[in-house]
Amino acid sequence: MNDQLSLTFSALSDPTRRAMLSRLSQGDANVSDLAKPFLKDMSLPAITKHLKVLENAGLIIKTKEAQWRPCKINGAPLKDASAWMEQYRQYWEESFDRLEEYLKTITDAKKSKRKKHGKKK
Amino acid sequence: MNDQLSLTFSALSDPTRRAMLSRLSQGDANVSDLAKPFLKDMSLPAITKHLKVLENAGLIIKTKEAQWRPCKINGAPLKDASAWMEQYRQYWEESFDRLEEYLKTITDAKKSKRKKHGKKK
DNA sequence: TTTATATTTAACTTATTGGTTAATTAACTG
DNA sequence: CAGTTAATTAACCAATAAGTTAAATATAAA
């Protein structure tokens, strides 16, 4: 497992790391800011490791500023991950066991200007 | 790690499992169908385990048909995962270090009918 | 130059993951 | 029934992940 998509999904598969991204979406923050909500649950080195995972996946960018390490989100890798998931949109947009796909198949001859997914939300 | 979102992302973090979903997006398939492309790389029990991960994450549904186990995609969990990522769309849609967000901030007073993300794709 | 703050590294432990081979179960087929 | 096909389970192993505590590093501040 070393491809970017795997790195991205793997990094996102932990609730602590997702919470960190969520925090960062409200503004840049340094390590101790990010750590604060979790210090009752885990140690600071554990935080460092989580941030390292996010950084290795390219989901955050950590810089230096005196003794602080301000972090900011880098959404770029999410673009490909999101695009990958979009492939499967049809499998969650329709209820009733892919009813529409079925209907589309059996009515292709009759109707012809159907676009992509008639049903929305 | 036992929440659904973590289960989903974790299941997607392996290229073999993503390939299996990809295969299933072209049509339902039983275990040996799914295994075929990977049997040069790994054993059948390994395949069984990967499918178990996908099944536990709810990404596939496995049924019984004589001695076969037809599998089909269940996209539902991807809906939440995708929705989660959408939260961060702004972080990958804009180039130049969140330029737009910055512009939006400093021009809020002047312009007022801007909607969400002016720039598209 | 000592001290305090912010963060990382090292070394270690435990649990989980992803794979293996061998054996087992389940259902069909001759 | 004996044999074949499909798939799973059991038992094991090595690598990785996620946490720990203790020590080290880096910068600022007194």
Side-chain angles (χ1 to χ4, degrees), chain A:
Chain A
M1 193 274 282
N2 32 15
D3 62 294
Q4 181 56 52
L5 217 41
S6 297
L7 278 178
T8 304
F9 283 131
S10 184
L12 296 180
S13 74
D14 182 281
T16 303
R17 290 192 290 263
R18 289 198 305 277
M20 285 168 163
L21 285 179
S22 171
R23 167 64 186 78
L24 285 175
S25 75
Q26 295 163 211
D28 298 356
N30 57 44
V31 174
S32 36
D33 293 333
L34 289 167
K36 205 159 295 168
F38 304 106
L39 288 180
K40 32 180 157 46
D41 304 314
M42 69 187 77
S43 67
L44 197 51
I47 304 286
T48 296
K49 284 192 183 181
H50 279 304
L51 290 174
K52 195 45 112 179
V53 172
L54 289 170
E55 197 179 13
N56 288 339
L59 288 164
I60 65 171
I61 290 168
K62 199 161 25 169
T63 53
K64 294 192 175 188
E65 208 165 290
Q67 67 266 60
W68 295 278
R69 297 292 176 270
C71 304
K72 64 169 192 170
I73 290 191
N74 180 41
L78 293 181
K79 186 174 192 170
D80 292 323
S82 180
W84 185 90
M85 304 231 292
E86 279 302 315
Q87 273 195 289
Y88 298 91
R89 171 176 291 279
Q90 57 177 155
Y91 294 101
W92 77 75
E93 275 207 332
E94 308 154 22
S95 325
F96 308 120
D97 203 21
R98 281 170 240 158
L99 174 60
E100 196 208 348
E101 206 169 69
Y102 168 70
L103 291 176
K104 184 178 157 197
T105 304
I106 64 169
T107 58
D108 255 359
K110 296 179 178 179
K111 311 175 78 174
S112 60
K113 67 169 182 175
R114 184 185 276 271
K115 286 186 72 172
K116 269 194 330 193
H117 315 291
K119 210 159 118 195
K120 196 170 173 189
K121 165 106 201 172

Side-chain angles (χ1 to χ4, degrees), chain B residues 14-26:
Chain B
D14 182 281
T16 301
R17 291 193 290 263
R18 289 197 305 277
M20 286 168 162
L21 285 179
S22 172
R23 165 66 186 79
L24 286 174
S25 76
Q26 296 163 210

Side-chain angles (χ1 to χ4, degrees), chain B residues 4-117:
Chain B
Q4 181 57 52
L5 217 41
S6 297
L7 278 178
T8 304
F9 283 130
S10 184
L12 296 180
S13 75
D14 182 281
T16 301
R17 291 193 290 263
R18 289 197 305 277
M20 286 168 162
L21 285 179
S22 172
R23 165 66 186 79
L24 286 174
S25 76
Q26 296 163 210
D28 297 357
N30 58 42
V31 174
S32 35
D33 294 333
L34 288 168
K36 206 159 297 170
F38 303 107
L39 289 179
K40 33 180 156 49
D41 303 315
M42 69 187 76
S43 68
L44 197 53
I47 303 286
T48 296
K49 284 191 182 181
H50 279 303
L51 289 174
K52 196 45 117 179
V53 171
L54 289 170
E55 197 179 12
N56 288 339
L59 288 165
I60 66 171
I61 290 167
K62 199 162 24 170
T63 52
K64 293 192 176 191
E65 207 165 291
Q67 67 266 60
W68 296 277
R69 298 291 176 271
C71 304
K72 64 170 191 169
I73 289 190
N74 180 40
L78 293 182
K79 187 174 191 170
D80 292 323
S82 179
W84 186 90
M85 305 234 289
E86 279 301 315
Q87 274 194 291
Y88 298 90
R89 172 176 290 279
Q90 56 177 154
Y91 294 101
W92 78 73
E93 276 206 330
E94 308 153 23
S95 325
F96 309 119
D97 203 20
R98 282 168 241 159
L99 174 61
E100 195 209 348
E101 207 167 68
Y102 169 69
L103 291 176
K104 184 178 159 197
T105 304
I106 64 169
T107 58
D108 257 356
K110 297 178 176 178
K111 311 173 80 176
S112 60
K113 66 169 182 173
R114 181 185 280 270
K115 286 187 70 172
K116 269 195 331 196
H117 317 289

